[in-house]
Amino acid sequence: MDANRFFSVSYDVRNHPLVKKLRFRFGGISAFGRYMALLGLLYDEGATLDMDDDATRGLLETELELKGEKLDEFISALADYGFLDADALATFGKVHCPSVAEQLEYRRDQSGKRKGKTAEAAVVDTLVEAGLLDRKAWARFEEQRKGGESKGKRK
């Protein structure tokens, strides 16, 4: 799978009070699954879906397994709880998630910064950004590795 096809979710998000309200109101843990499926669709579609477009509405009904009014209620509840942009929904009929938009923009920015770098440098940058690698420790390792390579070439 493509590494850019993932998004982070806190392991205990299912216990967040607003998620619990959503679960209670819309049939338990399946409501949480529907929310995760919607997030995936939003990532696929650039953070915004048009509820007034018949094809998009059909996609949402199929993917979320909610039809007509039930779909509208679910989407409205997500907006009411702050998971979606309530103004975009009420004013324009758009399902928009600002946090998804921010994450997609961040990824585009990072991708642009990595162009022209070696694959290794891009991986190092990603690990440093994720807090999994200390850049200074990597630099020391690189110095040792290069020193070892030059010693090996002398023989």
Side-chain angles (χ1 to χ4, degrees), residues 17-88:
L18 293 175
V19 173
K20 283 185 172 185
K21 285 182 181 181
L22 186 72
R23 289 172 53 191
F24 176 77
R25 186 170 166 193
F26 291 97
I29 198 69
S30 62
F32 177 70
R34 287 183 173 107
Y35 173 52
M36 291 295 108
L38 178 61
L39 284 177
L41 289 169
L42 286 163
Y43 271 94
D44 284 342
E45 298 297 324
T48 303
L49 298 164
D50 185 355
M51 289 290 286
D52 295 330
D53 177 70
D54 290 340
T56 300
R57 188 171 186 82
L59 174 68
L60 287 170
E61 287 181 342
T62 301
E63 291 292 315
L64 303 183
E65 299 178 348
L66 295 171
K67 303 283 184 207
E69 196 173 299
K70 290 286 186 189
L71 176 64
D72 293 335
E73 289 174 15
F74 183 73
I75 297 295
S76 292
L78 288 170
D80 291 344
Y81 296 154
F83 296 117
L84 301 173
D85 184 333
D87 291 334

Side-chain angles (χ1 to χ4, degrees), residues 112-126:
K113 289 178 184 175
R114 290 190 183 106
K115 287 186 179 174
K117 292 184 179 181
T118 65
E120 182 179 274
V123 169
V124 168
D125 286 348
T126 300

